[in-house]
Amino acid sequence: MSRPEPRILQFCHGYDGPFLDCARQYAALFAGTQYKVTTVYLTGAPSAEVEAGSASDEVIFLNYSSREVRGLKLKAIRDIRRIAASGDFKLCIAHRFKPVYVALLGTRLPVIGVHHAFGDYRRLSRRLFANAFKRRLALLGVSNAVRDDMRESLPDWPAPRIETLYNRIDIQALQAELLDREAARDALGLPRDAWVVGNVGRLHPDKDQATLIRGFAQALPQLPAGSLLGIMGSGRLEASLKGLARELNVAGSVLFLGQVPAGRRFFRAFDVFALSSDHEPFGMVLLEAMVAGVPVVASDCGGGREVVEGVGVLFPLADTAALAAALRHMAGLDDEQRELCASRMLQRVETHFSDRAVREAFWLLDTTILR
């Protein structure tokens, strides 16, 4: 009788927003190895598109609503126990705290908890829970900033049990999706001859587009004539941000582009990409801009510094004057400088944030628990 195939259980809260690609990223770690990957989504209806995008050997949709997984989540715990018993699973990779909780209670597997945000272990109840399962739990942050936040919350844990594994990007797949400058501008309704600052993100306090609008308004008199700021995204701050643009007399130069499906396809519409977040665990949009060859400006905040340091311009958090100076600097780049910048950015992505680079880093981590 042949031995069953060794398997990896990947457990995700859902596939909304960036989390489908997160599932793909972690399934890709095991491509070409002896392990098969089963990806389980706690919430979200079955979808052929999601199944294909998960890059896994098997995809299971538990199809819970957010309300159903509140509280003790006993049914979800039973479900994950049943799935874990169905094959020769060696390890569970769980994204975010709730799947970590369910996986530890529902299985006896070693669990790698992947954390995409700050503060996941600041609550006493979560620290106690993590400490109770310390022998078979390892933690990964998507940036050193997230890793250090967890290490601060769990000071008694040995450092190798809380490590960094960067988010990454499929460079070739994104490059194949990108529209050229003219087509992207036409699709977004941007004039072809304007100098355009781009921003992508929820209109939310964490993204701090207010600082971006203020910095753009301050720089505008020294920017090329007809310069524009295009903000791609939606959210509860839209009305107040539009009011701020009117107050600063730049409403005609600040375009709110709304929620754009597959927005990363349009990044070449921008002459510079600016991220002004005051709370950024990583900054996936920075990688997307870098692959598109768009020079980047980012607040020196959280994981953003780790992405663009050495190839982009960083400015102090909420420093309007420094942001304005960065935009003026970017407007002064000539074609040769932009090409050099694009080359350096792509090299940095390939070296640190590509599937290949992060796969190599993963297999060097003690936290894999696969030795």
Side-chain angles (χ1 to χ4, degrees):
M1 179 181 294
S2 62
R3 297 179 61 185
E5 294 177 315
R7 303 190 73 86
I8 302 298
L9 177 62
Q10 178 174 218
F11 192 21
C12 306
H13 188 282
Y15 52 75
D16 291 341
F19 290 104
L20 173 57
D21 193 60
C22 289
R24 179 204 65 78
Q25 292 173 21
Y26 277 82
L29 295 173
F30 300 93
T33 73
Q34 63 178 319
Y35 299 100
K36 303 296 182 182
V37 178
T38 294
T39 294
V40 178
Y41 293 103
L42 182 62
T43 62
S47 162
E49 181 180 358
V50 170
E51 189 168 349
S54 301
S56 301
D57 300 284
E58 179 185 25
V59 178
I60 297 172
F61 300 91
L62 296 181
N63 199 18
Y64 285 102
S65 69
S66 296
R67 177 177 295 181
E68 288 173 323
V69 294
R70 293 173 185 164
L72 291 177
K73 298 166 276 291
L74 294 178
K75 190 171 186 300
I77 291 169
R78 290 195 294 269
D79 284 338
I80 208 69
R81 180 179 296 129
R82 169 181 53 79
I83 292 167
S86 69
D88 185 23
F89 287 98
K90 303 298 186 182
L91 170 70
C92 178
I93 298 175
H95 296 267
R96 304 166 68 186
F97 181 78
K98 193 173 293 181
V100 170
Y101 174 92
V102 172
L104 286 169
L105 292 177
T107 78
R108 296 181 179 179
L109 296 172
V111 174
I112 295 178
V114 183
H115 291 274
H116 304 258
F118 298 115
D120 282 352
Y121 291 97
R122 291 178 190 168
R123 294 186 203 170
L124 177 60
S125 60
R126 290 187 176 188
R127 293 198 300 273
L128 293 173
F129 180 84
N131 285 325
F133 288 94
K134 186 176 180 180
R135 293 185 61 183
R136 61 183 176 100
L137 175 63
L139 301 173
L140 292 176
V142 298
S143 65
N144 290 340
V146 174
R147 176 203 65 190
D148 293 346
D149 177 77
M150 291 192 291
R151 286 180 175 177
E152 184 178 349
S153 297
L154 299 166
D156 295 332
W157 282 48
R161 304 291 288 187
I162 306 176
E163 260 297 358
T164 300
L165 197 70
Y166 283 125
N167 281 334
R168 51 272 190 199
I169 198 163
D170 185 332
I171 297 172
Q172 288 71 36
L174 176 53
Q175 288 177 331
E177 291 179 23
L178 285 166
L179 299 180
D180 64 30
R181 176 186 174 90
E182 290 74 19
R185 290 202 168 191
D186 290 347
L188 295 175
L190 297 171
R192 290 191 175 188
D193 58 349
W195 193 80
V196 180
V197 179
N199 172 265
V200 177
R202 295 172 300 139
L203 307 185
H204 183 277
D206 285 351
K207 303 302 180 183
D208 194 17
Q209 282 101 348
T211 288
L212 177 57
I213 293 170
R214 291 188 180 99
F216 174 77
Q218 186 171 326
L220 188 57
Q222 289 82 44
L223 298 181
S227 290
L228 299 171
L229 168 60
I231 300 176
M232 191 187 299
S234 60
R236 60 186 174 90
L237 294 185
E238 182 169 347
S240 64
L241 291 171
K242 287 181 175 177
L244 176 62
R246 288 193 298 270
E247 178 185 328
L248 296 172
N249 296 315
V250 293
S253 301
V254 179
L255 306 181
F256 290 84
L257 304 173
Q259 195 68 35
V260 179
R264 67 183 194 168
R265 298 174 58 226
F266 305 95
F267 275 39
R268 284 181 175 158
F270 305 136
D271 292 287
V272 61
F273 184 86
L275 190 68
S276 51
S277 301
D278 69 358
H279 189 84
E280 196 64 65
F282 182 77
M284 195 70 184
V285 289
L286 293 169
L287 291 187
E288 293 166 349
M290 290 161 68
V291 170
V294 180
V296 291
V297 172
S299 53
D300 192 356
C301 162
R305 177 192 314 138
E306 299 168 48
V307 176
V308 308
E309 193 167 31
V311 297
V313 177
L314 292 165
F315 67 93
L317 185 64
D319 189 331
T320 300
L323 172 54
L327 295 178
R328 289 192 292 267
H329 168 78
M330 289 299 191
L333 297 181
D334 60 28
D335 290 344
E336 183 178 350
Q337 290 170 319
R338 288 181 64 87
E339 288 177 10
L340 180 60
C341 178
S343 175
R344 288 176 173 170
M345 290 189 299
L346 187 59
Q347 182 179 27
R348 181 164 178 78
V349 175
E350 289 174 339
T351 301
H352 297 284
F353 308 111
S354 64
D355 284 338
R356 175 196 56 77
V358 179
R359 185 185 301 116
E360 292 174 0
F362 175 78
W363 289 102
L364 293 175
L365 290 172
D366 289 341
T367 49
T368 59
I369 325 178
L370 288 172
R371 302 294 187 273

